[in-house]
Structures are given as C-alpha cells and as structure tokens.
Amino acid sequence: QVQLVESGGGLVQAGGSLRLSCAASGLRTFTGYPVGWFRQAPGKEREFVAAISWSGSSTYYADSVKGRFTISRDNAKNTVYLQTISLQPEDTAVYYCAVGYSIRTGSRREQDYDYWGQGTQVTVSS
C-alpha cells in the first residue's frame, strides 16, 4: 500500500507559477515506477497533464501544458514535482498525482495508474 499526498497548490494570478509536489509514503513507494499528474476542472472530466518514467529520463506532456509545465522526480525523497509557469485561468483545477505499478513508462491513460492522491487545488485568477 502507498499513500500519495499532493501539496503546493493555491491561488495565483494569471502569468504566475506554482510548484506542486507529490510525496509517497507507506509500505510501497513510487521509486522505480512511473508517476503521472492529472487534473480535473469543475464540470469537466479528469485529464492527463504530465508523466515521468521511473528513472526520470523520459517525460510526457499534454499539448496544453507543453513548454509551461515541467515534471521531475527525486527518488531519494520519494517525491515527484510539477513546476508550472505562465499559468492561465484555464489551468484552474484539482491536480492529482498517481503511480503505476504495472506500466513500464509514463502513460497518458488514467486506467494505467493504481494509486492516486487526494489532489491539490490550483486556482488561477485573471
């Protein structure tokens, strides 16, 4: 069992930045496994944002965030980060991290991930 806890969300003006963190704890961690970030805006379905391979050598991004968001990981700290810049009101959502124990690299599909955090709210004002 693993527990994922997201942090770093908040209220920011358009053009601002936030650094989201996803920390793992429990009997299992996500060291050695791919991790993804997803988000869900009010009234919308959850969507893929970014993913990272177990080593950090491969990263994947949704077109909507490419060039503005950067995913990274520190396996020694059991933490994955999502650095966001140039935030826009359409980035407002609850951001979730998830770990996939059955996949070999990052995935854009929700069903490939086994454990999810509770989410952290990001609100971008115009």
Side-chain angles (χ1 to χ4, degrees):
Q1 194 79 350
V2 63
Q3 290 79 44
L4 304 181
V5 178
E6 302 93 337
S7 61
L11 174 63
V12 63
Q13 290 186 333
S17 61
L18 287 172
R19 188 195 196 201
L20 308 184
S21 298
C22 172
S25 63
L27 295 179
R28 301 185 75 177
T29 66
F30 50 45
T31 299
Y33 299 98
V35 173
W37 282 97
F38 292 76
R39 67 185 182 187
Q40 187 168 21
K44 295 186 177 181
E45 294 187 350
R46 190 156 55 186
E47 64 175 2
F48 169 77
V49 175
I52 190 166
S53 63
W54 70 270
S55 66
S57 61
S58 297
T59 56
Y60 312 85
Y61 296 96
D63 289 343
S64 59
V65 306
K66 200 172 295 183
R68 299 188 299 122
F69 290 11
T70 303
I71 189 171
S72 62
R73 69 190 300 161
D74 185 338
N75 286 333
K77 295 182 178 180
N78 287 317
T79 303
V80 172
Y81 305 98
L82 186 68
Q83 178 68 55
T84 69
I85 64 171
S86 301
L87 286 165
Q88 300 301 316
E90 52 266 34
D91 294 316
T92 294
V94 178
Y95 283 70
Y96 300 89
C97 65
V99 59
Y101 289 119
S102 304
I103 52 178
R104 299 184 62 182
T105 190
S107 171
R108 301 171 184 268
R109 307 192 315 165
E110 288 188 47
Q111 57 266 44
D112 287 337
Y113 293 90
D114 302 296
Y115 290 93
W116 295 75
Q118 294 299 306
T120 185
Q121 176 71 48
V122 171
T123 303
V124 184
S125 63
S126 57

